[in-house]
Amino acid sequence: MNYEITRACKNEKVEFKNPSTDLYKALGYDGMQKLLYDFYDKIYDSDIAHFFPQDPDEFEEVKKKNTKFFIQICGGPSIYDEEMKQKDLNEYMIEIHKNFSIYEKSRDEWLGTFREVLQGLEIDEEIKNDFWQYLDKFSKLTVNRYLKESAYV
């Protein structure tokens, strides 16, 4: 699987479904945590590291919190609920991202980093593909800045 990154378009109606619970079943809590920690360690050294706290202790807290989100969205225990304040899990995440100026290029970097860790994961390709489809579609909802086209092109 090549894990294609589809384009995010302004005002696009994005339809997505949560990933199946197969990823959590295949990896378990510890495996999911390792996957997400590997991902966030790569993010810390990426072109979008500036979206995250640069203090190592603060970054560690963000990594833990975001890992809880992914564990829960993949069917693991409801460990993120205390953060959400009675909101839908996905809606809560979209709301959090409104505080950042996220361009499609930033989304591409985020997804590209996730693609790297998924490609190294030795589980069934269908499980990885299902999770990728969620990441690709859901991440479109976090993009909130679009480059204007030039009048000269």
Side-chain angles (χ1 to χ4, degrees):
M1 176 106 225
N2 70 351
Y3 305 105
E4 177 187 4
I5 298 173
T6 60
R7 186 163 186 235
C9 301
K10 191 173 186 177
N11 300 321
E12 175 182 10
K13 183 174 176 7
V14 178
E15 294 187 20
F16 69 94
K17 65 178 185 66
N18 285 346
S20 75
T21 59
D22 292 340
L23 184 63
Y24 185 79
K25 289 176 186 172
L27 297 178
Y29 187 93
D30 292 340
M32 286 287 297
Q33 186 175 43
K34 180 181 179 340
L35 171 72
L36 274 301
Y37 278 32
D38 289 349
F39 167 71
Y40 281 104
D41 287 345
K42 286 182 177 288
I43 285 291
Y44 197 66
D45 293 326
S46 75
D47 288 345
I48 59 171
H50 63 279
F51 284 115
F52 298 89
Q54 296 305 295
D55 175 76
D57 293 335
E58 289 178 32
F59 181 74
E60 193 67 26
E61 288 306 310
V62 169
K63 185 165 61 169
K64 286 178 187 176
K65 182 178 177 182
N66 291 355
T67 296
K68 287 180 184 180
F69 166 80
F70 281 106
I71 286 173
Q72 185 170 328
I73 204 73
C74 289
S78 297
I79 54 178
Y80 197 82
D81 284 340
E82 69 274 5
E83 311 288 340
M84 296 182 340
K85 301 171 183 60
Q86 306 299 328
K87 295 181 182 174
D88 172 80
L89 199 56
N90 289 308
E91 288 176 14
Y92 181 69
M93 267 306 186
I94 292 166
E95 191 175 300
I96 286 174
H97 287 85
K98 288 180 181 176
N99 296 325
F100 302 95
S101 294
I102 301 176
Y103 288 87
E104 187 171 5
K105 183 179 180 200
S106 301
R107 174 183 170 260
D108 291 349
E109 181 78 14
W110 187 87
L111 282 169
T113 305
F114 236 124
R115 179 172 46 206
E116 284 182 38
V117 296
L118 283 177
Q119 288 173 329
L121 197 58
E122 295 185 17
I123 60 170
D124 186 279
E125 283 297 318
E126 287 184 38
I127 294 172
K128 292 193 287 187
N129 184 51
D130 175 75
F131 185 60
W132 179 260
Q133 294 305 311
Y134 168 77
L135 294 174
D136 181 64
K137 291 178 179 159
F138 180 76
S139 63
K140 289 180 179 188
L141 299 172
T142 65
V143 176
N144 54 27
R145 299 288 183 271
Y146 298 87
L147 297 176
K148 295 179 182 173
E149 296 201 19
S150 171
Y152 302 102
V153 177

